[in-house]
Amino acid sequence: DIQMTQSPSSLSASVGDRVTITCRASQSISSYLNWYQHKPGKAPKVLIYAASSLQSGVPSRFSGSGSGTDFTLTISSLQPEDFATYFCQQSYSTPTWTFGQGTKVEIK
Amino acid sequence: EVQLVESGGGLVQPGGSLRLSCAASGFTFSTYWMHWVRQAPAKGLVWVSRVNSDGTSTNYADSVKGRFTISRDNAKNTLYLQMNSLRAEDTAVYYCARLTCSSTSCYFDPWGQGTLVTVSS
């Protein structure tokens, strides 16, 4: 199975900060990488698919980049509603859709 | 509104069984592949199982193969997960998710809010 490794596992940031989360695949997955936001008690929500495509309705402060094994999710200016846990997911090797372990973004 | 609502979670003893349901609305359920994903306490998301649009093809994570069965009733717009021989390590919030595909990739959208399964004596 393809392993997905996210870093950091958590971070503290202030409103307005630029935040970067990385995700590394154990083998090349081309651009088959998705990013999700998950808040406690809520349904996870897709932010970015195909490494860099912004899902409809998602604010433009979210962006994704990368291909092969290394990927990045960037929040250009952190907003109060962005405090959540973020997961990457590979969709290259199905049906085993592996996720990263998550990055919890907390208020500094 | 496109929506998925899970139900059926609860407390069950080790070795017991439980059936989860996922009611779909707002889209043509019978045309989409569906998945179950779980999250154990303080852990990450783990893919569990998938079923194709007409229910004739299924796949499972190794950790649940032979114990869990995914199925669907397209007439009732409902997805199921029958869980047998439950273990403490199956304790998790279980989410159903719709597989959505663009021209370039597939991803899970939407997800339900989850249902908690606790396996304990």
Side-chain angles (χ1 to χ4, degrees):
Chain A
D1 292 356
I2 298 175
Q3 307 303 316
M4 306 301 294
T5 303
Q6 276 182 248
S7 61
S9 56
S10 65
L11 64 91
S12 295
S14 300
V15 172
D17 284 353
R18 181 181 183 88
V19 169
T20 300
I21 299 168
T22 63
C23 181
R24 174 165 288 176
S26 59
Q27 66 182 74
S28 177
I29 58 170
S30 185
S31 295
Y32 293 93
L33 192 283
N34 306 316
W35 289 99
Y36 299 88
Q37 179 191 66
H38 191 198
K39 297 180 180 179
K42 298 288 187 76
K45 170 186 168 183
V46 63
L47 301 173
I48 302 286
Y49 62 92
S52 60
S53 295
L54 189 68
Q55 173 70 342
S56 176
V58 173
S60 59
R61 62 181 179 272
F62 291 94
S63 64
S65 64
S67 66
T69 60
D70 294 312
F71 302 88
T72 299
L73 173 70
T74 300
I75 309 173
S76 60
S77 177
L78 196 66
Q79 298 302 299
E81 61 267 31
D82 301 336
F83 292 97
T85 299
Y86 294 85
F87 291 93
C88 62
Q89 176 205 38
Q90 64 85 16
S91 58
Y92 177 84
S93 174
T94 61
T96 306
W97 296 66
T98 44
F99 294 86
Q101 78 275 22
T103 296
K104 187 173 184 180
V105 177
E106 299 175 302
I107 302 172
K108 182 183 282 184
Chain B
E1 179 191 7
V2 175
Q3 193 172 17
L4 298 171
V5 179
E6 302 95 337
S7 61
L11 175 64
V12 61
Q13 293 188 337
S17 298
L18 212 55
R19 188 176 84 155
L20 306 184
S21 299
C22 170
S25 59
F27 65 99
T28 307
F29 179 71
S30 62
T31 63
Y32 286 88
W33 292 43
M34 297 295 295
H35 293 245
W36 287 100
V37 176
R38 70 184 181 184
Q39 184 176 32
K43 300 288 188 180
L45 296 167
V46 175
W47 173 82
V48 173
S49 182
R50 77 165 183 190
V51 62
N52 69 346
S53 56
D54 64 7
T56 59
S57 178
T58 59
N59 295 92
Y60 300 92
D62 288 343
S63 58
V64 307
K65 201 172 294 183
R67 301 187 299 122
F68 289 13
T69 302
I70 190 171
S71 63
R72 63 192 297 161
D73 185 335
N74 285 343
K76 294 183 177 179
N77 291 337
T78 302
L79 174 73
Y80 302 102
L81 186 67
Q82 177 66 45
M83 304 185 295
N84 299 330
S85 303
L86 282 162
R87 307 166 179 166
E89 55 264 35
D90 295 318
T91 294
V93 176
Y94 286 74
Y95 298 93
C96 61
R98 184 185 77 174
L99 184 67
T100 298
C101 294
S102 70
S103 59
T104 54
S105 184
C106 293
Y107 48 92
F108 293 165
D109 179 60
W111 299 57
Q113 290 194 311
T115 187
L116 175 62
V117 172
T118 303
V119 184
S120 174
S121 55

